[in-house]
Amino acid sequence: TRRILLDCDPGHDDAIAILLAAGDPGVEIAAITTVSGNQSIEKVTRNALAIAELAGLDPTVPIARGAHRPLLHEVEYAPEYHGESGLDGPQLPEPTRALDSRHGVQLIIDTIMGSEPGEITLVPTGALTNVALAVRLEQRIVERVREVIFMGGGVHVGNHGPFSEFNIAIDPEAAQIVIGAGWPITMVGLDATHQAVVTPEIRAKLDAVGTRSSAFVGGLLDFYGAAYAGHGFAHPPVHDPVTVAMVIDPTLVRAVKAPLAVELTGTLTKGMTVADLREPAPESTPTSVALGVENERFWDLVVAALSRLP
Ligand code: BDR
Ligand code: CA
């Protein structure tokens, strides 16, 4: 089993990422940290605790609140996709577990430094603020993690701007710190996640699971699907769990090695992730870019995970 740290801003798709990780035997959640993004840090942190409750996550797994705003940019949320609560739609269970008293950035550092070298895989599914701060506070984490697999960015595709994706656009400086840190890192961007869609057939499979967790995911997808329909998507893409699926089974995702950086000064393209897809990429390139995902097999993992959960 791969041990992962989820750094997230739940968020409908973040919630599904947590549930996939909690229900799949191939991964073990070492810790969860939250970051300002889809909603305020207070809201997304409460949501993370509620999802942990729903999933029956081991109460010894620490959950900590992270950064309350981006490094330089003004704070920005995504109520048009995630509602005022950050998880609009289904009724959330009341969290009974307590937050870890550490700052999320400290929990990231402690989790990595307290594990064996190469043990922890970092899986960020929100803005990269916490991870950037962790890199600056304790640079030894860069050597010590196994790899970083994050949701964000895209190649010539955007959802926040024409060429920028939300997680990168709201904190581009943090994203550049993380992408340029030198550790092995894979960008799971919109090229892949726009293929991870909920078709009516997949929705039927999810509904047939019949657990409390699958009913909850159904409620999430009702709200989230309607929000995406308003943006021209026939079927809503769930971005964040593709990262977890890639940890579980890398063959689900088509990824290529490519030099990668964030545009920080463009007047029209700030927050764009610039991948150099010219071949061959230098052997030493630490950055990879996901370009596609096998949707059916991806959902098979989610369905199986939901059937193992309460
Ligand atoms: C990303 O932005 C957030 O709204 C989602 O949770 C996902 O992480 C998609 O662009
Ligand atoms: Ca997210």
Side-chain angles (χ1 to χ4, degrees):
T1 34
R2 295 268 302 262
R3 304 228 320 139
I4 65 174
L5 185 148
L6 284 170
D7 181 68
C8 57
D9 61 339
H12 295 65
D13 52 337
D14 301 83
I16 299 172
I18 297 171
L19 293 172
L20 171 58
D24 193 288
V27 286
E28 186 185 313
I29 301 177
I32 296 177
T33 52
T34 59
V35 64
S36 169
N38 286 325
Q39 265 299 348
S40 69
I41 191 64
E42 288 76 24
K43 290 179 182 176
V44 300
T45 303
R46 186 188 170 276
N47 293 345
L49 289 171
I51 297 298
E53 196 74 39
L54 177 84
L57 194 69
D58 179 346
T60 63
V61 175
I63 301 179
R65 172 171 41 221
H68 68 287
R69 53 155 293 167
L71 298 184
L72 290 177
H73 273 218
E74 290 302 323
V75 76
E76 189 180 331
Y77 306 137
E80 67 279 19
Y81 289 99
H82 301 279
E84 278 311 313
S85 71
L87 268 186
D88 276 17
Q91 182 76 37
L92 282 176
E94 233 5 89
T96 57
R97 52 193 299 148
L99 266 187
D100 192 277
S101 59
R102 286 166 285 185
H103 191 282
V105 174
Q106 193 60 49
L107 180 56
I108 292 174
I109 293 169
D110 290 351
T111 303
I112 295 168
M113 297 311 292
S115 301
E116 291 303 312
E119 183 178 334
I120 298 293
T121 295
L122 258 185
V123 182
T125 59
L128 290 158
T129 321
N130 288 337
V131 185
L133 289 167
V135 166
R136 285 296 182 258
L137 199 55
E138 178 49 272
Q139 65 175 99
R140 289 179 298 170
I141 67 171
V142 170
E143 292 286 297
R144 206 169 172 94
V145 296
R146 175 163 173 157
E147 61 176 324
V148 182
I149 300 185
F150 75 96
M151 192 282 136
V155 183
H156 302 159
V157 48
N159 60 7
H160 182 273
F163 297 114
S164 65
E165 179 280 331
F166 180 78
N167 290 340
I168 307 296
I170 64 170
D171 199 344
E173 287 79 14
Q176 177 52 36
I177 290 172
V178 173
I179 290 171
W183 46 19
I185 183 165
T186 300
M187 173 172 98
V188 178
L190 299 176
D191 309 272
T193 68
H194 276 170
Q195 298 178 1
V197 291
V198 189
T199 60
E201 296 72 43
I202 283 163
R203 178 60 196 266
K205 283 190 198 171
L206 288 166
D207 290 344
V209 172
T211 58
R212 187 181 68 190
S213 303
S214 71
F216 184 85
V217 168
L220 286 177
L221 291 175
D222 288 341
F223 182 91
Y224 189 73
Y228 263 98
H231 291 268
F233 285 78
H235 310 304
V238 299
H239 309 278
D240 295 337
V242 179
T243 55
V244 175
M246 189 178 178
V247 176
I248 297 166
D249 181 357
T251 70
L252 289 177
V253 173
R254 184 167 63 87
V256 296
K257 222 182 238 272
L260 183 66
V262 181
E263 176 58 81
L264 296 177
T265 53
T267 49
L268 298 171
T269 54
K270 188 168 185 199
M272 175 182 186
T273 48
V274 181
D276 188 348
L277 294 175
R278 291 173 296 172
E279 295 194 32
E283 205 32 59
S284 60
T285 308
T287 48
S288 298
V289 176
L291 295 172
V293 61
E294 281 186 44
N295 197 38
E296 292 286 327
R297 288 174 58 217
F298 161 70
W299 284 106
D300 288 346
L301 283 184
V302 178
V303 165
L306 291 175
S307 32
R308 288 187 202 99
L309 291 176

